């Protein structure tokens, strides 16, 4: 049995349960008493890591017909095309020129894929520690044109040296060890004995994408892409600004020069600090969400981002989006972040070198979020989707426009009156106007085509 990991709920530990069943055999008890020793059968059940070699991973990229959505992760939109990450497996490509009737076109199998970003005719995606480049000029005939091997120094929190390691841990399977031991009968009380152990080597960190785009309502599925970048959600770990692709892992910002779009060149690596989670570009600034704060970088010189300040908050998961002089940060409890707070924080960033707390609102379990004018969308995980009117930042909680509690909401992309929302249930699309309108247009549910 394989143990699976979900995109927005990363498991840092797993338990190994040891079960002992004791069988006592007493011979001649009435005449001679207990023998000196007894045989004990023990059965140990644990989860064994399954390794996949780099050769197997790098030869497994494939292009095929549409597949059902099983474990949706991040979403990315560009020029009428919607990309949905299937956690750890690849990317669904969807013609979304008509949001009321999205059409699944194909599925690209990419082992170890969690993130994507696009510019011009090219899509960038991670495959464990490699960076892949795909030609999407014809989304009905996607082709891989480049693999940058070892582009990232770590997958999740773990460094991997493929020369000395067995490969990448791609899953876990249940295994059992049985043994027979001898022990003093008198010391054995009988019954079951339970042992618990914890290991911290099962943590996996995921990436995502970000940028800016225009909804092309009249485009065709194989129309040439514009030279602009696409747009991703607030859970982004990939971002494109001008001629650079930026990605983050748990502690570092990676730069890739994409002046030649089909041939990215590795650039600088900037140490940010442990626990970074999301990446949001706004104008010529980078806002990096961490589980203990928000880092702000000046990106006026795209090949050398400059740290301006860090806004600190309590330990918690932390996606961030920005509009104008304010940053919107959701903090939530969760195993991966080891936090216990669920709230929305609004941060005054009018002075980028001195960000200040402006307002805080309690939430249920906020995940991703999005802003568009006076609209503020909050994904509350299993508690659904909320739309607030944020005209008055001092009383947002008094201006709840809509609240859908019958969906699971992980992240959103609000764009030109269409909200694209992803969650464990699948893809939901809504038409909105922030005057009280939030109408469902379409869905692509999990396990359905």
């Amino acid at each position: 049995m394989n143990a699976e990991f979900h995109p927005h709920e990363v498991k840092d530990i797993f338990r190994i349960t040891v079960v002992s069943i004791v069988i006592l055999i007493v011979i001649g008890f009435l005449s001679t008493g207990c023998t000196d020793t007894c045989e004990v059968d023990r059965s140990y059940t644990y989860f064994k890591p399954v390794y996949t070699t780099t050769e197997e991973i790098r030869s497994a990229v494939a292009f095929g017909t549409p597949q059902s959505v099983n474990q949706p992760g991040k979403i990315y939109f560009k020029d009428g095309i919607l990309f949905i990450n299937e956690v750890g497996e690849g990317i669904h490509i969807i013609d979304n020129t008509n949001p009321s009737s999205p059409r699944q076109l194909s599925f690209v199998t990419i082992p170890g894929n969690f993130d994507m970003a696009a510019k011009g005719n090219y899509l960038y995606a991670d495959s464990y520690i490699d960076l892949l480049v795909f030609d999407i000029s014809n989304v009905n005939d996607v082709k891989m044109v480049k693999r940058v091997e070892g582009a990232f120094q770590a997958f999740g929190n773990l460094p991997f040296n493929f020369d000395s390691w067995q490969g990448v841990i791609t899953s876990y399977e249940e295994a059992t060890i049985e043994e027979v031991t001898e022990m003093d009968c008198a010391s054995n009380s009988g019954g079951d004995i339970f042992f618990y152990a914890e290991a911290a080597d099962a943590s996996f960190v995921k990436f995502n994408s970000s940028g800016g785009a225009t909804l092309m309502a009249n485009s065709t599925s194989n129309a040439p892409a514009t030279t602009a970048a696409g747009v991703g959600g607030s859970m982004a770990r990939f971002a494109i600004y001008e001629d650079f692709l930026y990605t983050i892992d748990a502690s570092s910002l990676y730069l890739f020069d994409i002046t030649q779009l089909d041939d990215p060149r590795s650039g600088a690596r900037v140490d940010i600090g442990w626990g970074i989670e999301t990446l949001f570009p706004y104008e010529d600034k980078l806002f990096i969400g961490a589980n203990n704060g928000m880092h702000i970088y000046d990106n006026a010189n795209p090949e050398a981002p400059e740290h301006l300040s860090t806004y600190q908050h309590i330990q918690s998961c932390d996606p961030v989006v920005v509009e104008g002089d304010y940053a919107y940060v959701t903090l939530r409890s969760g195993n991966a972040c080891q936090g216990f707070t669920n709230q929305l924080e609004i941060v005054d960033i009018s002075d980028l070198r001195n960000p200040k707390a402006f307002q805080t609102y309690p939430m249920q379990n906020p995940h991703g979020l999005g802003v568009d004018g006076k609209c503020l969308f909050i994904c509350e995980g299993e508690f659904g989707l909320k739309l607030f009117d944020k005209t008055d930042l001092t009383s947002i909680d008094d201006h709840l426009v809509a609240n859908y509690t019958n969906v699971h909401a992980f992240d959103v992309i609000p764009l030109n009156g269409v909200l694209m929302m992803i969650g464990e249930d699948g893809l939901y699309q809504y038409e909105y106007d922030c005057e009280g309108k939030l109408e469902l247009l379409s869905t692509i549910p999990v396990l359905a085509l």
Side-chain angles (χ1 to χ4, degrees):
M1 179 179 69
N2 291 337
E4 299 179 346
F5 299 90
H6 296 284
H8 45 278
E9 199 170 308
V10 181
K11 295 183 179 178
D12 293 317
I13 60 174
F14 66 91
R15 290 184 170 180
I16 303 171
T17 305
V18 182
V19 181
S20 174
I21 301 176
V22 180
I23 301 176
L24 298 178
I25 301 176
V26 181
I27 301 176
F29 176 76
L30 294 176
S31 59
T32 61
C34 182
T35 59
D36 293 335
T37 61
C38 296
E39 286 189 348
V40 180
D41 294 333
R42 285 195 171 113
S43 177
Y44 299 82
T45 300
Y46 69 105
F47 287 96
K48 180 175 67 175
V50 176
Y51 292 89
T52 304
T53 67
T54 54
E55 291 76 12
E56 292 174 312
I57 291 171
R58 288 170 176 163
S59 63
V61 174
F63 308 91
T65 57
Q67 295 185 12
S68 61
V69 178
N70 298 312
Q71 290 188 27
K74 312 298 177 61
I75 52 177
Y76 195 87
F77 179 84
K78 187 181 190 304
D79 299 328
I81 302 302
L82 182 61
F83 303 91
I84 299 178
N85 159 244
E86 184 75 26
V87 176
E89 301 293 336
I91 298 174
H92 301 274
I93 299 179
I94 298 166
D95 180 351
N96 202 47
T97 53
N98 180 5
S100 296
S101 183
R103 185 166 61 95
Q104 293 181 254
L105 300 176
S106 61
F107 180 76
V108 182
T109 300
I110 309 172
N113 170 250
F114 299 99
D115 309 279
M116 57 230 158
K119 183 179 180 181
N121 291 324
Y122 296 93
L123 175 72
Y124 306 94
D126 63 329
S127 178
Y128 292 111
I129 65 168
D130 291 349
L131 175 67
L132 309 186
V133 185
F134 297 92
D135 183 342
I136 56 171
S137 56
N138 182 352
V139 290
N140 292 306
D141 186 23
V142 176
K143 297 181 174 66
M144 189 175 79
V145 297
K146 180 78 173 183
R147 176 186 289 272
V148 183
E149 296 186 0
F152 313 114
Q153 291 191 359
F155 169 61
N157 296 332
L158 301 175
F160 282 91
N161 182 334
F162 288 109
D163 293 329
S164 60
W165 284 62
Q166 300 178 59
V168 177
I169 299 175
T170 53
S171 65
Y172 289 84
E173 63 181 13
E174 188 174 311
T176 302
I177 297 178
E178 296 184 358
E179 65 179 19
V180 178
T181 59
E182 291 185 349
M183 62 185 304
D184 185 350
C185 293
S187 67
N188 182 16
S189 60
D192 295 337
I193 303 174
F194 297 91
F195 298 91
Y196 295 92
E198 295 180 343
D201 63 347
S203 58
F204 293 82
V205 175
K206 304 171 177 57
F207 310 114
N208 191 24
S209 44
S210 189
T214 301
L215 189 64
M216 297 176 61
N218 298 318
S219 65
T220 59
S221 62
N222 61 352
T226 67
T227 57
V231 58
S234 64
M235 296 294 190
R237 285 183 177 261
F238 274 28
I240 292 176
Y241 178 70
E242 293 189 348
D243 293 328
F244 280 85
L245 167 69
Y246 304 91
T247 74
I248 59 173
D249 62 13
S251 61
S252 300
L253 173 69
Y254 296 82
L255 281 66
F256 298 90
D257 185 334
I258 55 172
T259 303
Q260 186 173 336
L261 293 175
D262 62 349
D263 188 21
R265 304 289 176 147
S266 297
R269 182 173 68 90
V270 181
D271 291 326
I272 305 296
W274 199 253
I276 61 176
E277 300 168 328
T278 62
L279 176 61
F280 188 85
Y282 183 73
E283 296 179 344
D284 61 349
K285 305 296 185 294
L286 295 175
F287 294 83
I288 300 174
N291 56 32
N292 62 353
M294 175 182 68
H295 306 283
I296 303 175
Y297 278 76
D298 185 350
N299 206 35
N301 180 4
E303 62 181 343
E306 175 191 356
H307 179 257
L308 296 178
S309 61
T310 296
Y311 171 79
Q312 293 188 329
H313 56 61
I314 61 176
Q315 184 89 2
S316 188
C317 290
D318 174 17
V320 54
V321 297
V322 178
E323 186 178 71
D325 289 335
Y326 296 94
Y328 302 82
V329 181
T330 56
L331 310 180
R332 77 177 186 276
S333 58
N335 292 335
C337 307
Q338 301 177 359
F340 301 95
T341 298
N342 293 286
Q343 64 190 39
L344 166 70
E345 283 194 13
I346 302 177
V347 184
D348 183 344
I349 57 170
S350 55
D351 181 356
L352 291 167
R353 294 188 180 274
N354 186 30
K356 297 179 180 179
F358 180 80
Q359 199 77 21
T360 300
Y361 297 98
M363 293 289 160
Q364 291 173 286
N365 191 230
H367 289 60
L369 70 165
V371 293
D372 179 19
K374 65 179 184 179
C375 291
L376 170 63
F377 299 93
I378 304 288
C379 295
E380 288 270 32
E382 64 180 328
F383 299 102
L385 171 69
K386 292 178 180 176
L387 167 60
F388 294 91
D389 182 336
K390 68 177 184 66
T391 302
D392 184 355
L393 295 182
T394 64
S395 61
I396 286 179
D397 54 348
D398 293 330
H399 298 89
L400 179 63
V401 175
N403 184 13
Y404 286 92
T405 59
N406 61 339
V407 297
H408 183 282
F410 174 65
D411 202 8
V412 290
I413 299 176
L415 188 65
N416 294 343
V418 175
L419 180 74
M420 294 162 273
M421 186 198 79
I422 199 72
E424 290 182 0
D425 306 330
L427 174 76
Y428 290 77
Q429 298 195 81
Y430 302 87
E431 183 177 5
Y432 67 91
D433 63 10
C434 296
E435 299 295 335
K437 181 179 183 180
L438 187 62
E439 297 180 358
L440 182 66
L441 295 175
S442 63
T443 65
I444 298 180
V446 164
L447 295 177
L449 283 174

